Amino acid sequence: MRKKVMAATGLIAVAIAGYMFVGGSEKNTASTNNTSTNNTNVTQDVKKLVSDYSLRNIKAESASITSQQLIVTDEESKSLTYELPENEFFVSTAPYVEETHPCAIHSLTGCQGEMVNEEFNVQIVDMEGNSILDKTLKSQANGFIDLWLPRDKKYCVTIEHNGKTVESEISTFKDDDTCISTMQLI
């Protein structure tokens, strides 16, 4: 009888440890629950997190965004990973006149563009000629314009500022760049 009690206690301890290891994970994913209401809430939460880190409303040691994930490292070097929406792609562009930096994966906490808090006329058209965006947008304090675009497409982006223009093709496929720092206004 005593062996059975010890075995049951051991199994319970293993189950609790397993739950704490798997269930207590810091990884948040947009696909943990397939109900559309929860996916919408998680998507909105991730997009708000991205915005808050980009606007520097939330502080972190680092926050970068790949084509698939937001990766945040806090001051204690603890890493949190959030899955991005399945149908939307984040891309951030920093139009410039004189200075830029080489980049592929956008750092929400580190990338700094030249043209801070400036207004730009931004037009985005897909390869079929459909207008995705045509409006005046203001760059943030980091000099970047953050955009969420439909995934798995190519786009023609035109940015105009004070009579200077730049046009570039970007795409939103898996592993594409999320930081566009090559758009020089001429």
Side-chain angles (χ1 to χ4, degrees):
M1 178 74 167
R2 184 174 178 171
K3 287 183 181 181
K4 288 182 182 180
V5 170
M6 293 294 283
T9 303
L11 285 173
I12 291 171
V14 168
I16 290 172
Y19 173 76
M20 298 208 41
F21 179 74
V22 175
S25 168
E26 292 296 335
K27 185 171 183 176
N28 295 318
T29 64
S31 61
T32 56
N33 188 322
N34 289 330
T35 64
S36 62
T37 302
N38 283 340
N39 279 342
T40 300
N41 290 340
V42 170
T43 296
Q44 290 172 345
D45 291 346
V46 169
K47 289 172 78 172
K48 180 163 179 16
L49 273 175
V50 169
S51 177
D52 284 342
Y53 282 114
S54 192
L55 293 170
R56 305 198 171 136
N57 293 336
I58 300 175
K59 304 290 184 213
E61 186 67 29
S62 70
S64 59
I65 188 163
T66 70
S67 63
Q68 302 291 313
Q69 299 175 322
L70 167 63
I71 304 161
V72 179
T73 303
D74 66 17
E75 291 78 16
E76 298 170 0
S77 298
K78 187 176 179 184
S79 183
L80 302 168
T81 303
Y82 303 87
E83 299 297 323
L84 297 183
E86 290 180 18
N87 60 348
E88 291 180 279
F89 187 98
F90 176 87
V91 63
S92 195
T93 183
Y96 73 100
V97 175
E98 296 181 22
E99 292 185 33
T100 190
H101 66 283
C103 193
I105 304 301
H106 186 56
S107 171
L108 299 168
T109 54
C111 285
Q112 182 63 50
E114 172 187 23
M115 304 180 79
V116 174
N117 298 320
E118 299 276 345
E119 287 192 351
F120 299 88
N121 295 321
V122 180
Q123 295 178 335
I124 302 176
V125 178
D126 68 17
M127 293 298 124
E128 290 79 40
N130 301 308
S131 178
I132 304 301
L133 180 74
D134 187 1
K135 65 195 300 188
T136 301
L137 299 175
K138 188 174 183 180
S139 63
Q140 302 167 118
N142 65 2
F144 278 81
I145 301 168
D146 291 348
L147 302 164
W148 288 94
L149 298 172
R151 283 189 181 273
D152 302 326
K153 295 189 112 181
K154 288 184 180 181
Y155 299 96
C156 179
V157 179
T158 304
I159 299 177
E160 187 274 328
H161 176 75
N162 290 341
K164 295 182 177 186
T165 305
V166 61
E167 187 173 300
S168 182
E169 185 178 295
I170 66 168
S171 59
T172 60
F173 295 96
K174 185 178 180 186
D175 299 326
D176 278 346
D177 293 348
T178 57
C179 188
I180 309 298
S181 58
T182 56
M183 297 185 73
Q184 184 175 18
L185 292 159
I186 301 172

